[in-house]
């Protein structure tokens, strides 16, 4: 289901960022996986002249059987001059300096691939070529549809009961229930059955403060959230942590290290948010949360973990 909002979001970006209609426009889709094939069919339905690149004879045959043109991903440079619009779905450096140099003036490249993406980081676009790194589109375009997940919110006593400069607790609770369509877990009693009943495939703590990180590191279960994590881990299921704390590189550093070294914990890639003003502060890159969840469900930590 992630492929659907990704394809739709990619087309939305293309329509917003180009000054011509997609109808009749030569378009290259690099990669014939789930996203590439779905995107290509939608572009063709809009009247674009679609070419899809792949590596295998089987994929070449499938592409041509769908009425599309096929190209070899390993030999893109000779054909790139034909395409003012390029979508990449391959998470490898398929677009290096030689390839970018062959693109027409003011071409648009929309990179949909997960990290490290499809562009060689050392390659610089030329002649007004624009590159848009469109990560985590499912979570931005259609968060409820993405992956078909059913979301259940959980709040600690403070998050669920305190008004802050960001809004009232009542407004927060109403918004969460409206988005998720499920009842909030906001008591320790309600959190205890999470593990025994196998309620969730993955549990996400976002944002995860230094206080919560410390409690998880030392198995303190005095809030609905920490109890939910403890109960969820009982079944050996993944827990995703999205760090957000001003002391990540000082007081909380040891506790983050504990969780990094503990089974079933996965972290959303993170970075210093204000190195000069707050040198110890670290926040998760929330746009990578959907990708981190997908990786965690397959037992893999999304990399790189530390972002520049």
């Amino acid at each position: 289901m992630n492929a659907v909002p990704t394809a739709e979001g990619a087309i939305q970006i293309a329509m917003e960022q180009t000054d011509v209609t997609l109808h009749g426009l030569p378009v290259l889709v690099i990669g014939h996986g789930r996203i590439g094939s779905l995107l290509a069919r939608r572009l063709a339905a809009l009247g674009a002249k679609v070419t899809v690149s792949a590596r295998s004879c089987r994929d070449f045959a499938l592409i041509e059987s769908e009425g599309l043109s096929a190209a070899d991903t390993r030999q893109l440079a000779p054909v790139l001059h034909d395409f003012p619009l390029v979508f990449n779905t391959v998470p490898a450096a398929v677009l290096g300096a030689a390839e970018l140099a062959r693109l027409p003036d003011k071409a648009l490249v929309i990179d949909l691939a997960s990290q490290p993406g499809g562009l060689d980081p050392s390659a610089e676009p030329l002649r007004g070529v624009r590159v848009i790194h469109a990560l985590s589109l499912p979570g931005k375009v259609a968060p409820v549809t993405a992956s078909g997940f059913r979301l259940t919110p959980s709040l600690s006593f403070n998050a669920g009961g305190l008004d802050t400069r960001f809004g009232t607790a009542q407004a927060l609770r109403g918004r969460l229930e409206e988005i998720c369509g499920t009842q909030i877990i906001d008591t320790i009693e309600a959190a205890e059955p999470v593990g025994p009943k196998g309620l969730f495939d993955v549990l996400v703590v976002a944002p995860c403060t230094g206080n919560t990180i410390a409690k998880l590191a030392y198995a303190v279960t005095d809030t609905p959230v920490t109890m939910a994590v403890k109960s969820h881990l009982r079944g050996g299921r993944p827990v995703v942590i999205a760090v957000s704390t001003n002391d990540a590189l000082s007081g909380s550093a040891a506790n983050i290290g504990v969780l990094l070294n503990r089974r079933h914990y996965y972290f959303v890639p993170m970075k210093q948010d204000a190195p000069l003003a707050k040198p110890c502060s670290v926040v998760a890159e929330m746009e990578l949360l959907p990708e981190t969840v997908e990786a965690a469900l397959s037992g893999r930590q999304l990399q790189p973990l530390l972002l520049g």
Side-chain angles (χ1 to χ4, degrees), residues 30-270:
I30 303 175
H32 191 246
R34 289 190 301 267
I35 293 173
S37 59
L38 192 64
L39 174 60
R41 290 196 295 272
R42 277 163 166 71
L43 288 165
L46 291 171
K49 297 179 180 178
V50 182
T51 297
V52 185
S53 81
R55 293 175 181 268
S56 71
C57 293
R58 173 183 178 275
D59 282 335
F60 295 152
L62 285 172
I63 292 166
E64 293 176 355
S65 72
E66 294 170 351
L68 309 175
S69 299
D72 193 327
T73 303
R74 295 160 295 191
Q75 300 177 18
L76 290 175
V79 301
L80 283 170
H81 59 83
D82 292 330
F83 300 105
L85 177 59
V86 176
F87 296 90
N88 175 62
T89 68
V90 177
V94 293
L95 294 174
E99 286 76 22
L100 292 177
R102 298 297 297 271
L103 287 167
D105 293 352
K106 300 181 181 180
L108 174 63
V109 178
I110 301 176
D111 192 2
L112 305 174
S114 58
Q115 296 287 356
L119 276 76
D120 184 338
S122 65
E124 291 291 336
L126 305 172
R127 302 186 312 281
V129 171
R130 293 178 296 154
V131 176
I132 296 177
H133 299 281
L135 297 176
S136 306
L137 283 180
K140 299 174 185 176
V141 176
V144 175
T145 301
S147 299
F149 285 137
R150 183 170 184 266
L151 304 178
T152 298
S154 178
L155 293 172
S156 66
F157 296 128
N158 287 339
L162 297 179
D163 296 340
T164 72
R165 62 188 177 92
F166 300 106
T168 66
Q170 182 178 2
L172 171 64
R173 297 171 69 90
R175 181 63 175 148
L176 283 174
E177 291 185 337
E178 176 187 356
I179 292 172
C180 301
T182 51
Q183 187 174 357
I184 296 172
I185 295 176
D186 57 0
T187 67
I188 291 177
E189 293 81 4
E192 285 181 315
V194 165
K197 293 185 177 180
L199 296 183
F200 309 122
D201 296 314
V202 59
L203 195 150
V204 178
V205 185
C208 191
T209 65
N211 183 52
T212 299
I213 290 169
K215 291 180 178 182
L216 295 176
Y218 287 93
V220 176
T221 54
D222 62 349
T223 74
V225 172
T226 55
M227 174 56 76
V229 172
K230 175 184 177 182
S231 184
H232 180 76
L233 286 169
R234 170 178 170 175
R237 294 184 173 90
V239 174
V240 171
I241 302 295
V243 173
S244 180
T245 178
N246 287 328
D247 69 343
L249 300 181
S250 54
S252 291
N255 297 327
I256 291 173
V258 168
L259 297 184
L260 282 169
N261 199 40
R262 192 170 288 173
R263 290 186 64 196
H264 308 305
Y265 277 97
Y266 302 88
F267 282 73
V268 178
M270 49 192 159

